[in-house]
Amino acid sequence: MKKTIAFLLTAISICLCFVGCGTTTSSPIEDFSYEFKNGEVTITGYIGTDLEIVIPDTIEDRPVTVIGENAFQGYDMTSVIIPNTITLIKDRAFDDCKQLEKIDIPDSVTEISYWAFCGCENLKEVNLGNGVKSIDQGAFVSCDSLKSIHIPENVVNLYDVRFGVSTNGDFDFVIYGKSGSAAETYAEENDITFIEE
């Protein structure tokens, strides 16, 4: 009898582990405002209260591919998970999200638009996916806690991104990247320390 009970308890523990260790559940769909275009979804806003936001990869069986202009502007999230269906982060999408500390950009994203993370003053870590090709003007301006970034070789366009620039003046910044890349050129042109990887 004791062996049977022990076996059942072990089985229950394993099941609970699988349930708890599964894929991250997205935030409730009703917390997002969105629009459909050409069979795809653009997130246009957030009306929920979660501090840890998980953007859904599909809504009504359509892929979520764009984080729209001003979608999360000024919202004090502490973290956000971007699904690998997103291809574009539009203008000021996360502008002034002052509590955001880390952002992982998936490989699916090809462009980070103007002022996308402007004013994220507590942002300390940005991980750019290998699919990113373009980072536009002011995308990381006034990210005062961000002291360095690794830029993949696939990034070919860096338009006045303003790494290491704050409303309080410039600060020391380091760009890590491949020799001969757009990242190295950008660093040289903007007097930013470049370290070859």
Side-chain angles (χ1 to χ4, degrees):
M1 183 68 176
K2 288 182 179 178
K3 287 184 178 179
T4 303
I5 292 172
F7 174 78
L8 288 173
L9 289 173
T10 302
I12 290 169
S13 297
I14 292 171
C15 289
L16 288 174
C17 179
F18 276 117
V19 169
C21 300
T23 55
T24 305
T25 304
S26 68
S27 300
I29 301 298
E30 59 269 21
D31 287 351
F32 297 90
S33 55
Y34 52 88
E35 59 187 22
F36 298 115
K37 186 175 182 180
N38 300 324
E40 298 179 348
V41 181
T42 295
I43 297 294
T44 58
Y46 182 74
I47 55 175
T49 57
D50 291 344
L51 296 181
E52 299 176 350
I53 298 172
V54 181
I55 298 173
D57 56 3
T58 60
I59 294 178
E60 295 184 26
D61 296 323
R62 304 178 198 185
V64 178
T65 59
V66 177
I67 300 174
E69 292 182 24
N70 312 112
F72 296 95
Q73 185 177 35
Y75 187 78
D76 281 338
M77 72 199 47
T78 56
S79 69
V80 60
I81 295 178
I82 299 174
N84 61 8
T85 54
I86 297 292
T87 60
L88 173 61
I89 299 173
K90 296 193 78 173
D91 302 0
R92 297 189 181 276
F94 296 94
D95 177 25
D96 211 28
C97 292
K98 295 186 182 300
Q99 301 308 314
L100 186 61
E101 295 186 357
K102 177 184 176 183
I103 190 77
D104 293 318
I105 309 294
D107 291 344
S108 57
V109 172
T110 60
E111 181 180 349
I112 300 171
S113 296
Y114 297 90
W115 316 102
F117 295 94
C118 170
C120 294
E121 59 188 32
N122 282 304
L123 188 61
K124 297 178 178 68
E125 183 179 348
V126 175
N127 297 309
L128 295 174
N130 290 322
V132 176
K133 293 182 172 60
S134 178
I135 305 175
D136 290 334
Q137 181 179 5
F140 293 97
V141 69
S142 293
C143 293
D144 298 3
S145 299
L146 186 66
K147 304 301 183 184
S148 67
I149 193 167
H150 297 258
I151 299 182
E153 196 172 8
N154 286 345
V155 176
V156 293
N157 296 314
L158 291 157
Y159 298 109
D160 192 20
V161 179
R162 301 189 189 181
F163 292 120
V165 177
S166 168
T167 52
N168 301 318
D170 296 356
F171 55 88
D172 291 337
F173 195 83
V174 178
I175 292 177
Y176 296 88
K178 297 291 185 184
S179 177
S181 65
E184 183 178 26
T185 301
Y186 180 87
E188 290 174 352
E189 291 176 348
N190 292 275
D191 197 26
I192 295 173
T193 301
F194 178 83
I195 297 178
E196 183 180 353
E197 294 185 301

